[in-house]
Amino acid sequence: MTRRLEPLTLATLGEIPAPCRDCVFWELDPVAARQAGRNGDTALEKEAWLSQLLLDWGPAGVVMYVDDELAGYAIYAPSVYLPRIQAFPTAPVSPDAVVLATGRILPRYLGLGLGKVLVQAVAKDVLKRGFRALEAFGDSRWDGPGCVWPTDFLRAVGFGVVREHPRNPRLRLDLRSTITWRSEMEAAVERLMGAIRPEQTPPVTVRESAPPARTP
């Protein structure tokens, strides 16, 4: 299985499945979003939003492919670019955080840990840009794909609740902890590879790739 990550651009936006491709839940305030829906302008509004964000801030999303097939995506941005935030009862977002707004793993790729890989890629990019945290709004009554992350998923990938709410808590992932998080994830992969390597790699290769033995 070959996995590839690409930034969200106007080209890759076109590969995201409907209705997510044209959804403006986060990109417009509720009144403007309803008006765009009535006018049939949501696709244009989505493209205009992404174009402006790419110009002002740079890539604000990641698209994942597995064996060149779309497997999932995530969208993130500073809160000023996501007007819907103000409608959440647990707003505002902390000034040192970027918002992990929405995303999805396609059904055929569920259960492979790809959601955590997406969040890890976002965290790495946001950390490089000088932000201290990711924040997200959860849906504690999630019952199917939507515009808001399931609260249980956010908890599972390392977020902690910073403001409670029965439906839409606000959660935070401190990016200083991603160093430990990434190390643990890489160690788990290494343990897995170590378990299968003896069956797939000639012994001489194992000896060459193994770390030098320590002298007592």
Side-chain angles (χ1 to χ4, degrees):
M1 183 174 70
T2 302
R3 190 176 64 213
R4 174 167 55 92
L5 295 170
E6 297 287 348
L8 180 67
T9 64
L10 290 175
T12 53
L13 175 64
E15 298 187 25
I16 292 176
C20 305
R21 179 177 58 245
D22 303 333
C23 178
V24 290
F25 176 89
W26 289 98
E27 294 81 358
L28 300 176
D29 64 68
V31 174
R34 285 194 295 270
Q35 185 63 46
R38 285 194 293 266
N39 295 340
D41 293 337
T42 57
L44 292 175
E45 291 284 358
K46 183 88 164 193
E47 291 178 3
W49 174 84
L50 181 57
S51 295
Q52 190 63 54
L53 189 52
L54 287 168
L55 182 65
D56 293 349
W57 196 66
V62 60
V63 181
M64 176 183 289
Y65 299 89
V66 172
D67 295 333
D68 294 325
E69 295 289 335
L70 180 72
Y73 71 93
I75 295 176
Y76 55 99
S79 60
V80 67
Y81 292 99
L82 300 167
R84 172 67 66 155
I85 286 174
Q86 301 309 316
F88 280 83
T90 48
V93 172
S94 305
D96 64 347
V98 167
V99 179
L100 180 64
T102 190
R104 186 181 178 193
I105 297 294
L106 272 61
R108 65 177 294 190
Y109 296 105
L110 292 174
L112 301 177
L114 299 182
K116 188 167 187 176
V117 174
L118 275 179
V119 174
Q120 183 184 22
V122 174
K124 183 177 180 180
D125 180 50
V126 169
L127 187 62
K128 286 181 178 178
R129 298 193 197 202
F131 289 86
R132 296 181 60 189
L134 278 173
E135 291 194 1
F137 296 92
D139 184 351
S140 297
R141 301 174 187 170
W142 190 89
D143 60 359
C147 300
V148 182
W149 296 100
T151 300
D152 288 344
F153 168 77
L154 294 172
R155 288 179 180 274
V157 297
F159 282 76
V161 174
V162 292
R163 189 171 178 186
E164 294 280 2
H165 187 269
R167 177 66 184 264
N168 294 128
R170 177 163 53 89
L171 298 94
R172 179 179 173 97
L173 176 65
D174 188 337
L175 298 184
R176 290 173 299 182
S177 69
T178 61
I179 297 174
T180 301
W181 179 47
R182 187 162 56 245
S183 296
E184 290 174 350
M185 190 172 185
E186 289 171 350
V189 172
E190 183 60 28
R191 286 195 298 271
L192 174 62
M193 292 303 294
I196 66 175
R197 189 179 293 121
E199 297 179 5
Q200 297 186 352
T201 308
V204 63
T205 303
V206 173
R207 289 197 296 271
E208 291 176 355
S209 60
R214 295 183 178 180
T215 303

